[in-house]
Amino acid sequence: MSEQYIYHGAQKLRCGYTTGSCAAAAAAAASEMLLTGRSMGISQIMTPKGTLLKLPVLNAEITCEYASCAIKKDSGDDPDVTNGILVYAKVSRISEGVEITGGEGIGIVTRAGLDQPVGEYAINFVPRKMITSAVSDAAERNDYHGGFRVEISVPGGSELALKTYNPRMGIEGGISIIGTSGIVEPMSSAALVDTIRLEERMRRAEGCRSLLLTLGNYSENYIQKSMPFALERSVKCSNYIGDAIDIALEFGFENVLIIGHIGKLVKLGAGIMNTHSAQADGRMDVLVTCGVLAGADISALREIPSCVTVDAALDILKGCGFLEKTLDILAQRAEYYLNAKVKNTVKIGAVMFSDKHCITVRTPLADELIGIISEEYNG
């Protein structure tokens, strides 16, 4: 494969290839070896993105019953826990068709709403299509008119899966074989949004009408203390609040509640729906604006822009006696922008908290949404 690169800011980052590409390339080589009886050094496949991959074939084995080999996963400059794993394909003859199954280290779907049905191995649709195409091409080249059984495996996949989202999403016993383009783009937000979409789809498949969004560990700790029954059904959206809300509308959720630390969610007061600092900051600007509207002392507000953290800015507002009024206005502004985002089509709200100040800021609909979610999730 000729190396591909993308730019992330000023960084030049090398692309890699997905577990789906590895599985397809291994299947391509193994089926060719099965039909010809000859080992292969390189496996060549075309990804759905149109990139030609030429990948080294490892651990080739040919018997009278099957052929097997592995492709080493290369994630490029993406910090992927699957980087360097070996993805094996073991191919044998059957009378007709292409049967794709999982072996060691491949997870099994246990919840509805995922790419594959419950009880099936977590080898997603696009990789399955790539595998089928790869072995079919081998059959055509070698004038073979029967079928193939393809078993995909990843030694050590069960242990590796514990470092992924799989257990949370209902994939047990191993990793998933995934990828829609066949190529891994480092630092890709698309991969994170795809995970959010998958979790939300699962919640809808479970019958949830209300969606509880969290930003990360702080959010989950808060929920564990205040409404632990809801933690298992929450969806972590990280910084991608706007995308998570759009997906919620797409799937038809009726109620959306966002819970997160005020250090992130304060940005909702300016309508900022991606809270990553590289996208937008505006935290201090929001607090200054809310402080002005609350009538806080101007000399105190002038100190806020130099604060590094929101908690430090809250100290200033508390010191001048306008913390509560400022946060009330923040809650109103956040609700305004959230309603604008959903165009008033669903009930939406947010809960912002600060452990340091022992405060909780709720948008006007938040308490009602907590009640709805409590009743639904406890039902």
Side-chain angles (χ1 to χ4, degrees):
M1 159 182 170
S2 57
E3 292 189 341
Q4 293 187 350
Y5 295 87
I6 63 168
Y7 281 89
H8 186 76
Q11 287 182 289
K12 183 180 180 182
L13 301 175
R14 184 173 64 87
C15 295
Y17 40 89
T18 64
T19 51
S21 290
C22 293
S31 57
E32 188 75 21
M33 292 190 299
L34 178 69
L35 298 179
T36 65
R38 298 190 301 270
S39 291
M40 294 183 63
I42 296 292
S43 181
Q44 180 173 300
I45 62 164
M46 183 68 72
T47 69
K49 193 175 182 179
T51 301
L52 180 64
L53 297 180
K54 297 180 180 180
L55 306 177
V57 175
L58 304 175
N59 303 339
E61 179 185 3
I62 304 173
T63 74
C64 59
E65 296 180 349
Y66 66 85
S68 173
C69 65
I71 301 291
K72 187 175 182 179
K73 168 75 184 298
D74 182 355
S75 300
D77 288 329
D78 194 60
D80 187 338
V81 297
T82 64
N83 186 50
I85 65 170
L86 294 181
V87 180
Y88 281 81
K90 179 182 177 181
V91 180
S92 54
R93 292 180 178 88
I94 57 175
S95 59
E96 62 181 3
V98 178
E99 177 187 333
I100 300 171
T101 188
E104 177 188 357
I106 304 299
I108 294 178
V109 175
T110 63
R111 293 184 186 175
L114 295 173
D115 182 274
Q116 294 296 304
V118 172
E120 185 56 80
Y121 282 97
I123 304 170
N124 281 5
F125 172 77
V126 172
R128 286 176 182 270
K129 187 176 179 181
M130 293 171 68
I131 292 166
T132 300
S133 176
V135 299
S136 298
D137 288 347
E140 185 175 349
R141 281 192 302 270
N142 293 281
D143 196 28
Y144 171 65
H145 302 287
F148 295 102
R149 183 179 190 272
V150 183
E151 179 185 288
I152 305 300
S153 61
V154 176
S158 300
E159 295 76 18
L160 188 64
L162 300 177
K163 301 177 182 179
T164 72
Y165 280 108
N166 278 14
R168 174 187 175 93
M169 292 192 298
I171 298 172
E172 296 183 0
I175 68 166
S176 308
I177 302 299
I178 61 174
T180 54
S181 69
I183 299 298
V184 174
E185 293 188 358
M187 311 296 287
S188 171
S189 61
L192 290 171
V193 174
D194 284 346
T195 300
I196 296 167
R197 178 181 299 278
L198 184 58
E199 288 206 59
E200 290 194 28
R201 186 168 64 197
M202 285 174 55
R203 299 297 166 252
R204 281 298 285 154
E206 293 167 356
C208 292
R209 302 184 312 278
S210 304
L211 177 64
L212 179 60
L213 294 173
T214 69
L215 273 61
N217 292 333
Y218 287 144
S219 303
E220 292 177 352
N221 290 340
Y222 179 90
I223 294 171
Q224 184 64 57
K225 295 175 184 176
S226 59
M227 43 196 304
F229 56 85
L231 189 57
E232 281 295 315
R233 290 188 174 182
S234 65
V235 172
K236 186 185 295 187
C237 67
S238 185
N239 294 299
Y240 299 92
I241 297 171
D243 291 296
I245 292 171
D246 288 340
I247 295 167
L249 295 178
E250 176 187 337
F251 288 149
F253 283 97
E254 300 170 15
N255 310 289
V256 180
L257 179 65
I258 308 154
I259 295 182
H261 192 275
I262 194 170
K264 287 281 191 182
L265 287 189
V266 66
K267 297 181 184 184
L268 292 178
I272 297 170
M273 299 289 167
N274 184 326
T275 56
H276 197 290
S277 58
Q279 295 295 318
D281 193 346
R283 296 168 300 157
M284 304 309 158
D285 309 77
V286 170
L287 290 175
V288 168
T289 299
C290 293
V292 168
L293 294 173
D297 181 70
I298 296 300
S299 62
L301 295 177
R302 285 185 179 136
E303 298 178 33
I304 289 179
S306 63
C307 292
V308 176
T309 67
V310 168
D311 278 328
L314 297 182
D315 283 333
I316 293 172
L317 291 166
K318 184 177 181 180
C320 70
F322 278 86
L323 178 60
E324 186 174 341
K325 288 184 179 179
T326 299
L327 295 181
D328 284 344
I329 291 172
L330 170 62
Q332 294 166 21
R333 289 175 62 86
E335 182 179 68
Y336 169 81
Y337 286 112
L338 288 171
N339 280 328
K341 177 68 174 172
V342 302
K343 298 179 175 60
N344 295 297
T345 56
V346 301
K347 291 182 178 180
I348 190 167
V351 176
M352 316 176 200
F353 61 87
S354 166
D355 292 331
K356 178 182 177 182
H357 289 87
C358 298
I359 59 171
T360 302
V361 181
R362 295 179 174 87
T363 58
L365 270 181
D367 283 332
E368 179 182 347
L369 288 167
I370 290 171
I372 291 171
I373 288 172
S374 298
E375 183 176 350
E376 180 180 336
Y377 286 15
N378 268 324

